[in-house]
Every structure is written in C-alpha cells, then in structure tokens.
Amino acid sequence: MSNVAKLELEGKVYELPIVVGTEGEKAIDVSALRSATGHITSDDGYGNTGSCNSAITFIDGEKGILRYRGIPIEELAEQSTFVEAAYLLIYGHLPNSDEMKRFSDLLTKNENIHEDMKHHFEGFPANAHPMAILSAMINASSCFYPGLMGPANKARFDIHAARLISQVRTIAAFSYRKSHGLPTIYPKRQYKYTANFLHMMFSDIYEDYELKPEVVKALDLIFLLHADHEQNCSTSTVRMVASSQANMFASAAAGVCALWGPLHGGANQAVIEMLGQIHRSGDDGSRFIQAAKDKNSGQRLMGFGHRVYKNYDPRARIIKKACDELLNSMHVTDPLLDIAKRLEEAALKESYFIERKLYPNVDFYSGIIMRAIGIPTEMFTVIFAIGRMPGWIANFKEIMDDPKARIYRPRQVYVGPVGQRYTPIAQRK
Ligand code: CMC
C-alpha cells in the first residue's frame, strides 16, 4: 500500500503523507497543504477531520466497537469500576494495587470543596439549570488553587486531576441540594466514589440514605460507560481550550457547556422528556416515529443516531441490559421503559432509520435507570459530565504532554461581503 496520497491541483501533483493508526485507521496528513498549495480543506461539522492523534479511546462506528486504552468496553463494564477506568484513561494502564490505593486516597482526600465555595451557590436562582451551576462552579474552583492559574503544572497534575474528578461530584450534589432547598450533605470518608455521590444527593441530616448495592453498581456503570468517547463535541472543546494553555479547570468548565446541548449530553434529559410526552399523549410511539421522520415536524427521535456509530452503540446494549436488571431487582415498573422498547422495535423496522443507520445510542436507556434511582431529569446531563471528567482530563493531559502541541486554530472559507467601505452614520439609510 502506498504511503502517500496524490493531489492534482492546477496542473501540479502534490504528495500528501498517509498516517495509519494502530487499529488501521487511515488519514491523509494535510498539515502542509496550505503552505504548499494555498488551499485549505473544507469539512463542515468536521465529519472527515482528524483533529489529533490520540492513544486514549478507539471507536469503530461501523462495527459498534468501543475500547478504552485498547480494552473492550464490555470487559470494563463487566469487571471494572468507574474509578479504575478513570485511572486507566488518564494514566494509560490499569493500576496495580498500590497505584489504585494511591489514586483512591487522593480522590478521598480532595473530595470536599473549599468551604468558601459554598457561598457561590447562594447566588444562583432556585430554578437554575444544574449544568450552568456546574460549569460556573468548576471554573470558580480554580480561583481557590492559585497554582492552577498559569499554564499546566506537570508536577501538580495528579492532585489537580484527582481534585477535579472528586469535586465535580461534590459540586453536582450540592447544586441539587441547593435547587431543592435542602441542607448540604458533606461527603463521608468511608464511602467509595459512587456511593458517596448518592449519599450527598439523598441522605438528610437526621438519617443516612440506604445504599443499595444494585443502585450503586448501576450508577457506577453509567459513569464508567460515559468516561470517554474520543473526539466528541465536548472533548474537542476541552482540547481546544487546553491548546491555548488554559488551566485544567477552565478547560473542563468549557467541556461542561459543550456537553449541555440536546444533540450531545443533553440528549439523556431530552429522551425522558420525549418518552413522557409520548406517554401523556396516549401515543403508542407510532405517531412520534412518523413525526421524527418528517423534517418539517422539528422532532427527532432523541437517543437515536450518532455521528460515528452506524451500528448499535455498544454502550446502549450494556445500559439496556442493566436497566432491565435494576428495575427487576427494585421491583419497579416504568411505563417509559415499555415505550422506549416499543419505539426502538418500531424504529428499527422503519426504512427511514434503517437507510440512515440510526440506532439507539447511550442516552436512550440511561435516563430510565436514573429515574429509577430517583435522580431528577434536570440532573441527567450532570451525571454524564461527572462520568466524562476522566476522559476530558486524559485528553487535557495528552495535549499537556505533547512537546509538539500547537494552539488549535481552524481556518475558514470566507463567504461574506467584499469591497465594502465605511459609511458615516448620518449617511446610512
Ligand atoms: N431522529 C430522526 N432523524 C435523524 C435522527 C434522529 N434522532 N438523527 C439523525 N437523523 C437523520 C437526519 O435528519 C439526517 O437525515 P437526512 O440525511 O435525510 O438529512 C440523517 O439522519 C443524518 O443525520 P445528521 O444530523 O446529519 O447526523 P449527525 O451525525 O450530524 O448527528 C446526532 C448526529 C447524534 C446529533 C443526531 O443523530 C441526533 O440529533 N440524534 C438525536 C440526539 C441524540 O440522541 N444525541 C446523543 C448522541 S450520543 C451521546 C453523545 O455522545 O452526546
């Protein structure tokens, strides 16, 4: 196989190197294109653009494969935990017992936010969306760690990473308590990561929340399955901000904002709202499917489709099974789960969805698990953000460790007016 691509342009032939990834993915390296030819590439929505080389996560969207550092997501879901997967993503290998203990201890030691941070929560209205609070508070946290303010500090990386992973969970729980007018519940040292989050969300000052192992396991799985997903919208945003040498907290806060939208992490909230709307309207799902096929309806089947997966999202398969298991063990029946299953079955028979290769994605069933646990809908995307934090940090680290890293700065094709002159205001029509 040739290791160059040939581009013929205005009578001249240019050779562009081919880059091959470890899983055989091929890319044409166009980094010298503009200086050699005066042309740039144009790729609206970046569907064909590799923005970096990354050794963190691999996805084969055609085959429905997802691997963290080479390990299949199915194996991690079955045998690992969110904290172990976080270590794997950030440091590139599964931790041995000492490394795992050190990492867990660092998370525990850094679980509390600075006490003065609590005053910041007071400034938000009770109905503020928790994603707005989360992004603002992550950014505000960096003010309490002066060492963070300059470019990345490699010597302090471990502690800042642990702080961010641990505190995003504390901030999330505090924002939930605040929005419900409930007193703040502090983390407890004896609880592990996910149990502690449930404790901070649902305990009260007189009585601790009863931690059910199956609930802790299901939420831990949700965190793990969301932990990374290569160059999606929020991760690219984190890398974009990090490339300017902004600090880790500022980069992560930007990631939270990007994640918020309904086409990305906000889809888990949108799915439950859609299922609820279908349920209330008495539709068995068929009317909604017809509407989702009609571009003029403004409706999409939320939780379906993916830029990269043109096959079943492997995370959706794992979550669907976990959803059945959790609801069975809790003896809960949720009419929204029946609607979701009916919608999936009907959609996968429709030529519209088949031709466009639209399958359920990670968000289609995750909301039903979160509802069963008692997490309110507006917190769903926050849960996604807690899960995604290790992936964002791993991507931040990749930029920080790359001696050849450059600031991200895409080009554009200008299509605006030309040859205009300034007109003084008095002469304007
Ligand atoms: N319902 C109905 N039609 C759809 C849907 C959907 N959910 N998703 C895509 N399509 C259609 C789309 O209208 C287009 O049709 P046509 O070719 O006739 O113009 C075709 O499928 C391709 O869609 P696209 O918008 O070009 O695809 P994209 O790669 O730009 O968007 C997506 C991917 C995930 C934003 C989109 O599928 C979508 O909006 N899905 C619903 C929102 C959702 O579930 N998002 C969560 C994604 S997974 C979690 C995460 O990583 O954030």
Side-chain angles (χ1 to χ4, degrees), residues 45 226 229 232-234 259 261-268 270-271 288-289 291-295 299-310 313 315 352-353 356-364 384 388:
H226 284 90
H229 212 234
N232 55 82
C233 178
S234 56
L259 186 72
L263 297 188
H264 190 12
N268 54 16
V271 168
F288 194 90
I289 292 213
K293 285 161 43 182
D294 175 7
K295 296 271 165 25
Q299 282 181 321
R300 278 189 165 198
L301 185 51
M302 300 311 284
F304 252 70
H306 198 275
R307 171 64 61 81
V308 180
Y309 292 120
K310 301 301 163 200
D313 178 339
R315 301 167 301 172
Y352 176 94
F353 292 91
R356 290 171 181 75
K357 300 190 171 140
L358 301 171
Y359 292 88
N361 60 49
V362 67
D363 292 320
F364 198 62
F384 193 152
R388 185 54 54 90

Side-chain angles (χ1 to χ4, degrees), residues 45-123:
Y46 305 133
N48 305 281
T49 297
S51 61
C52 58
N53 288 350
S54 177
I56 304 167
T57 289
F58 172 71
I59 302 176
D60 183 328
E62 270 68 37
K63 295 193 185 132
I65 290 173
L66 168 61
R67 297 185 193 126
Y68 294 167
R69 300 284 187 181
I71 303 177
I73 194 67
E74 292 79 5
E75 285 182 25
L76 292 166
E78 189 67 36
Q79 299 176 56
S80 188
T81 62
F82 171 63
V83 169
E84 190 182 57
Y87 186 100
L88 169 71
L89 286 166
I90 295 171
Y91 296 103
H93 61 272
L94 286 169
N96 63 28
S97 313
D98 288 347
E99 289 166 333
M100 187 66 192
K101 180 166 182 336
R102 220 174 306 128
F103 187 56
S104 296
D105 288 350
L106 210 51
L107 292 178
T108 305
K109 198 168 155 217
N110 288 286
E111 63 196 1
N112 244 321
I113 55 174
H114 194 289
E115 192 61 17
D116 291 349
M117 278 274 292
K118 276 182 66 190
H119 302 297
H120 291 260
F121 285 100
E122 306 306 323

Side-chain angles (χ1 to χ4, degrees), residues 332-360:
V332 170
T333 44
D334 186 341
L336 300 198
L337 177 60
D338 298 334
I339 294 175
K341 284 185 176 169
R342 274 206 304 276
L343 272 179
E344 177 189 338
E345 207 184 313
L348 294 181
K349 284 187 194 139
E350 287 274 349
S351 57
Y352 176 94
F353 292 91
I354 296 168
E355 281 157 18
R356 290 171 181 75
K357 300 190 171 140
L358 301 171
Y359 292 88

